[in-house]
């Protein structure tokens, strides 16, 4: 793992051999200030989808310390994605979800972002690919603790 730029620079990058390049983007705001985003990168999982990886820090040392959590997530992606989708179905189905409810959720929800936060919690963000389950501009998210137990299911915008 190497830094492509000096520490503290908003355009620095961390290259990880397993997960790729993580960069910190900056966005100029209308008041002249600059918003620096957290490190992020992307990967492709076995079925070819692109999934955005985010590390909730702009500090290169902290970013490196969060990478092992992403390794574990990538190794168990199919199991954790299924667990998260089932949690979403339970949270938004009246009563206990049927086998058809769960199948629909697996067909219609697509993982698009994995965010690792300080402390090792992970938030999985999903897209409603058919647009029937969540209003436009809203998506479900599932928070997992360090042991990959579902802590919360939310709707974000």
């Amino acid at each position: 793992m190497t830094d492509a730029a000096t520490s503290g620079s908003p355009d620095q990058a961390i290259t990880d051999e397993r997960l790729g390049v993580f960069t910190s983007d900056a966005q100029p705001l209308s008041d002249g200030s600059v918003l620096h985003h957290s490190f992020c990168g992307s990967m492709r999982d076995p079925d070819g989808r692109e999934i955005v990886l985010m590390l909730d820090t702009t500090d290169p040392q902290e970013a490196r310390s969060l990478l092992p959590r992403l390794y574990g997530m990538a190794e168990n992606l199919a199991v954790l994605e299924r667990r998260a989708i089932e949690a979403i179905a339970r949270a938004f189905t009246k009563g206990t979800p049927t086998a058809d409810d769960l199948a629909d959720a697996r067909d219609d929800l697509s993982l698009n972002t994995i965010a690792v936060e300080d402390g090792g919690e992970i938030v999985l963000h999903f897209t409603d690919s058919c647009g029937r389950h969540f209003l436009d501009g809203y998506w479900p998210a599932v928070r997992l603790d360090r042991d990959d137990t579902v802590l919360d299911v939310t709707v974000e915008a």
Side-chain angles (χ1 to χ4, degrees):
M1 194 171 348
T2 59
D3 288 338
T6 59
S7 179
S9 171
D11 61 350
Q12 58 194 309
I14 294 174
T15 301
D16 180 74
E17 290 137 12
R18 292 167 75 176
L19 299 175
V21 178
F22 290 78
T23 60
S24 180
D25 295 331
Q27 174 183 1
L29 302 175
S30 60
D31 66 359
S33 63
V34 177
L35 174 65
H36 295 282
H37 299 281
S38 297
F39 282 92
C40 60
S42 65
M43 69 176 221
R44 293 191 179 274
D45 85 358
D47 66 5
R49 294 177 295 154
E50 186 170 291
I51 299 174
V52 174
L53 304 177
M54 296 178 68
L55 303 172
D56 190 22
T57 182
T58 56
D59 178 81
Q61 288 299 104
E62 288 178 36
R64 277 188 220 90
S65 74
L66 296 175
L67 285 172
R69 183 66 172 111
L70 273 178
Y71 297 156
M73 183 71 205
E75 290 168 4
N76 297 306
L77 186 59
V79 170
L80 296 175
E81 182 176 8
R82 183 178 181 105
R83 183 181 303 157
I85 288 172
E86 289 173 0
I88 293 166
R90 283 191 304 277
F92 297 105
T93 301
K94 291 184 181 185
T96 303
T98 66
D100 287 341
D101 293 332
L102 294 172
D104 284 347
R106 285 190 294 275
D107 289 342
D108 298 342
L109 298 175
S110 176
L111 179 64
N112 65 21
T113 302
I114 301 170
V116 181
E117 297 182 345
D118 189 29
E121 288 185 4
I122 287 187
V123 181
L124 304 177
H125 298 265
F126 290 83
T127 298
D128 176 9
S129 63
C130 67
R132 293 182 303 139
H133 306 286
F134 296 90
L135 294 174
D136 190 35
Y138 294 85
W139 63 90
V142 177
R143 179 176 297 279
L144 304 174
D145 68 10
R146 291 190 63 78
D147 297 320
D148 297 327
T149 300
V150 173
L151 294 174
D152 196 18
V153 177
T154 58
V155 176
E156 302 190 7

